[in-house]
Amino acid sequence: GALKLGFLMIVPKEHYLSVAQYPPALLKEYQQVCEDLEEILKNTFGAKIVTFFEHGTAPGGYTSHKKSIVHAHTHVVTDFIMEDKYKEMVQLKTIDDINVAAHTHYFSYQEGAHGDLQIAMDSEVYVQRQFPRQVMALQLGLAPGQYNWRHAAFHENSAATVYRLYTYLKTLQPKDGRLFERTHDFVIGYSQRDDVI
């Protein structure tokens, strides 16, 4: 459901229901991944901003739709800033520590890996799970309903995004440190695909 180029997800290998439930060591690694992705996406797409958002699920795992992914996943997208009227609509508030939401449903939003972390977790304010995708689709001028990944997969955006990332990442060298180390296996694996020129 990549609504545009430069749209990815961060998904942990181990099962957690939300970023707020990550243990400290994983949260530290997650923050590094956000920093790395921000740098990679800016270099790959010339992005001015990289935005991160998540719909965290409470420990009970209850979700509003039977097909929703009840596993932590953060959306990462280039050059998308939610307009203030939408932030106010869901009453986003700046917080210092995501762990305050570990025991509740929430929507988090952050412009830049080091930007203010904003969260909506008031039980009286319902934030529909695809709300940020609806807002993004509106701001991009997409047709009604195209926000919904169940009906509009946008496979071409996903494929083009991954290919562009590969094209950039294969230029990295060992001197590039953490970025090279963490992406080298992807570059090798992607280069062995049948559909890569």
Side-chain angles (χ1 to χ4, degrees), residues 64-166:
S64 58
H65 193 284
K66 64 184 178 182
K67 291 186 179 179
S68 288
I69 300 167
V70 188
H71 181 91
H73 61 286
T74 301
H75 299 258
V76 183
V77 65
T78 57
D79 294 325
F80 165 68
I81 295 177
M82 187 178 290
E83 294 174 11
D84 287 341
K85 65 182 178 181
Y86 298 114
K87 293 177 186 179
E88 292 165 10
M89 186 182 295
V90 295
Q91 299 179 23
L92 281 171
K93 305 215 181 327
T94 301
I95 62 166
D96 294 325
D97 182 1
I98 190 70
N99 294 121
V100 300
H103 300 290
T104 188
H105 299 291
Y106 66 87
F107 167 62
S108 68
Y109 175 86
Q110 187 173 20
E111 295 169 8
H114 295 287
D116 288 339
L117 177 60
Q118 299 179 314
I119 195 164
M121 62 181 202
D122 183 339
S123 61
E124 301 297 314
V125 179
Y126 175 69
V127 182
Q128 197 265 349
R129 289 193 76 84
Q130 291 205 46
F131 172 74
R133 293 178 55 83
Q134 291 170 325
V135 171
M136 189 183 309
L138 278 171
Q139 291 182 202
L140 290 170
L142 298 178
Q146 285 191 303
Y147 71 87
N148 191 332
W149 60 269
R150 293 177 189 93
H151 306 295
F154 291 100
H155 292 299
E156 65 283 357
N157 286 345
S158 296
T161 294
V162 174
Y163 179 74
R164 298 254 320 255
L165 291 171
Y166 162 73

Side-chain angles (χ1 to χ4, degrees), residues 8-106:
L8 302 169
M9 280 191 188
I10 301 171
V11 183
K13 291 178 183 177
E14 293 181 38
H15 181 59
Y16 295 96
L17 294 174
S18 69
V19 171
Q21 295 173 28
Y22 288 178
L26 184 59
L27 188 58
K28 181 179 178 184
E29 182 181 355
Y30 168 79
Q31 290 166 337
Q32 289 177 345
V33 169
C34 290
E35 292 168 9
D36 292 349
L37 271 178
E38 183 173 39
E39 182 177 342
I40 290 166
L41 289 168
K42 284 183 172 182
N43 289 332
T44 301
F45 295 97
K48 293 180 177 61
I49 187 82
V50 176
T51 300
F52 303 84
F53 59 88
E54 179 208 14
H55 233 111
T57 302
Y62 172 77
T63 182
S64 58
H65 193 284
K66 64 184 178 182
K67 291 186 179 179
S68 288
I69 300 167
V70 188
H71 181 91
H73 61 286
T74 301
H75 299 258
V76 183
V77 65
T78 57
D79 294 325
F80 165 68
I81 295 177
M82 187 178 290
E83 294 174 11
D84 287 341
K85 65 182 178 181
Y86 298 114
K87 293 177 186 179
E88 292 165 10
M89 186 182 295
V90 295
Q91 299 179 23
L92 281 171
K93 305 215 181 327
T94 301
I95 62 166
D96 294 325
D97 182 1
I98 190 70
N99 294 121
V100 300
H103 300 290
T104 188
H105 299 291
Y106 66 87

